Amino acid sequence: MKLKLQRSTMFDELSKDLKKRMESSSQSAKSEISGIRAGRASPGMLDSIKVEAYGQKMSINQLGNITTPDPRTINVEVWDASNVSLVDKSLRESNLGINPIIEGNLIRLPLPQLTEERRDEFLKVIGKIVESAKVAIRNIRRDGIEKVKASEKEKNISQDESKKFQNDIEIMTSEYIKIIDESHKHKEEDLKKI
């Protein structure tokens, strides 16, 4: 009974770790996907952009206020004037395709009309984000399965338990890949409506 409890605890801990890592990967992908412009200006479009400031990578919303005065403009009011050029650089290097206009501590981001060519570029970027997230989740799955197989090889779990644990990991993997696919599909539909 004690051995069975240890096996169950071992898999519970492994399962929690895998779930946490897969959740992190899928949330990161969803955040990046939501940052891709689909129509209206939104502060969320800047969520995936990181700025190298104060010796670390920070989100733009940690460096200033983000507002949308109209559907085609985002304003970033940077709190510290020394960070304006850093925020500007990060915005220009992002995949949003916008040209920031600096007015003192205020950075205006006029959003261009979405052309068919730009829409196709966004779809390619989204595809890359989705694929890299899926690869990350599959790598997490591989790590989990390797740990289960190692436990089986060391005779800590039986072959049947190993197969069950591996199957559980496959199911978990499928669930997180489905979440990413749904985000991908939703964003593609949004971009095609515009």
Side-chain angles (χ1 to χ4, degrees):
M1 183 68 177
K2 188 177 179 184
L3 186 61
K4 196 169 194 170
L5 190 62
Q6 285 176 333
R7 291 174 185 159
S8 175
T9 304
M10 178 205 75
F11 185 71
D12 287 346
E13 288 174 15
L14 176 62
S15 180
K16 283 180 188 173
D17 176 56
L18 296 176
K19 194 172 280 193
K20 181 178 163 188
R21 291 168 57 198
M22 287 183 186
E23 180 70 29
S24 175
S25 291
S26 70
Q27 286 302 323
S28 175
K30 284 169 68 175
S31 173
E32 282 188 66
I33 289 170
S34 72
I36 306 251
R37 184 171 71 84
R40 293 181 53 89
S42 159
M45 292 170 57
L46 306 181
D47 286 351
S48 64
I49 300 172
K50 301 295 181 201
V51 180
E52 188 70 41
Y54 306 116
Q56 59 185 339
K57 289 198 177 282
M58 301 177 77
S59 298
I60 292 177
N61 65 4
Q62 294 175 304
L63 300 170
N65 289 328
I66 302 172
T67 58
T68 51
D70 64 64
R72 308 220 42 84
T73 309
I74 299 175
N75 286 346
V76 179
E77 188 177 346
V78 182
W79 297 315
D80 184 349
S82 66
N83 290 328
V84 172
S85 62
L86 299 172
V87 173
D88 175 55
K89 181 178 185 258
S90 294
L91 288 166
R92 287 182 190 279
E93 292 174 352
S94 73
N95 61 3
L96 293 178
I98 48 181
N99 289 317
I101 300 167
I102 300 173
E103 300 171 3
N105 278 19
L106 182 70
I107 301 175
R108 292 191 191 283
L109 306 170
L111 301 177
Q113 190 68 30
L114 192 61
T115 63
E116 191 64 40
E117 183 180 304
R118 191 72 180 134
R119 182 180 293 123
D120 290 342
E121 285 177 35
F122 281 142
L123 290 172
K124 286 177 187 173
V125 169
I126 292 167
K128 287 178 185 175
I129 292 168
V130 166
E131 195 50 45
S132 74
K134 286 181 177 181
V135 167
I137 287 174
R138 289 181 188 122
N139 287 339
I140 294 166
R141 172 190 63 191
R142 186 194 64 229
D143 292 347
I145 288 175
E146 284 175 1
K147 287 178 183 175
V148 169
K149 286 180 177 179
S151 286
E152 178 188 351
K153 192 174 183 180
E154 294 168 3
K155 306 280 189 224
N156 293 334
I157 59 174
S158 70
Q159 189 175 11
D160 287 345
E161 288 171 317
S162 174
K163 292 222 183 299
K164 181 193 178 315
F165 292 158
Q166 289 179 50
N167 187 48
D168 290 347
I169 291 169
E170 289 292 343
I171 290 169
M172 185 187 314
T173 303
S174 296
E175 288 171 1
Y176 281 102
I177 285 181
K178 184 179 176 187
I179 290 169
I180 292 169
D181 284 339
E182 286 171 1
S183 293
H184 184 200
K185 182 180 174 196
H186 180 70
K187 193 59 157 192
E188 273 188 337
E189 288 170 0
D190 279 355
L191 283 169
K192 288 177 181 174
K193 286 179 193 172
I194 301 170

